[in-house]
Amino acid sequence: MKHLESQLQTACVNYFRLRYPNEVIFAIPNGGNRSAVTGAILKREGVMAGVADLFIMAARAEYHGLFVEIKLPKGRVQESQQHFENLCILHGYGYRIARSIDEFMGCVDNYMRLQ
């Protein structure tokens, strides 16, 4: 099957929107193959390597929001993604990696319960 990570991310977004209809989740489309010209334009516009796939715009406890990186079970975390996770922690944002719909549901439900 093609685009398994895309299918996983779609399922995660659908779950969140059904479970939390009054909250905001959005994708940050950093990945994908682009031409060198398009890549250069996007970089000038502010695209940054390593930014997580999804952002949940809901402050909980000490966090300003939650970034979620979607990975397949055998997917590797890139150095730029590790750097972005460190930035999230430094600036008061939550960061999680979800490798399945069950992991996504668990980490998001736990996050949304924080007071």
Side-chain angles (χ1 to χ4, degrees), residues 41-113:
I41 291 168
L42 291 172
K43 192 169 186 178
R44 286 194 307 269
E45 290 177 350
V47 168
M48 186 173 105
V51 174
D53 297 309
L54 298 171
F55 182 68
I56 296 171
M57 194 169 49
R60 295 289 188 273
E62 72 270 20
Y63 301 109
H64 303 302
L66 178 66
F67 286 94
V68 182
E69 177 64 31
I70 303 297
K71 290 282 185 198
L72 293 176
K74 295 182 181 181
R76 292 184 10 250
V77 175
Q78 305 297 317
E79 187 176 322
S80 61
Q81 292 169 324
Q82 181 63 54
H83 177 69
F84 183 75
E85 178 181 359
N86 294 338
L87 289 173
C88 288
I89 293 165
L90 178 68
H91 292 284
Y93 289 87
Y95 183 95
R96 299 291 181 271
I97 296 173
R99 296 180 181 275
S100 69
I101 186 67
D102 290 332
E103 277 189 21
F104 178 82
M105 291 178 349
C107 75
V108 165
D109 290 343
N110 287 338
Y111 178 80
M112 295 303 286
R113 281 193 291 270

Side-chain angles (χ1 to χ4, degrees), residues 6-25:
S6 173
Q7 292 172 13
L8 174 56
Q9 183 168 321
T10 299
C12 292
V13 169
N14 288 341
Y15 168 79
F16 186 88
R17 288 182 174 159
L18 286 170
R19 178 93 165 96
Y20 305 100
N22 297 318
E23 300 291 348
V24 176
I25 187 172

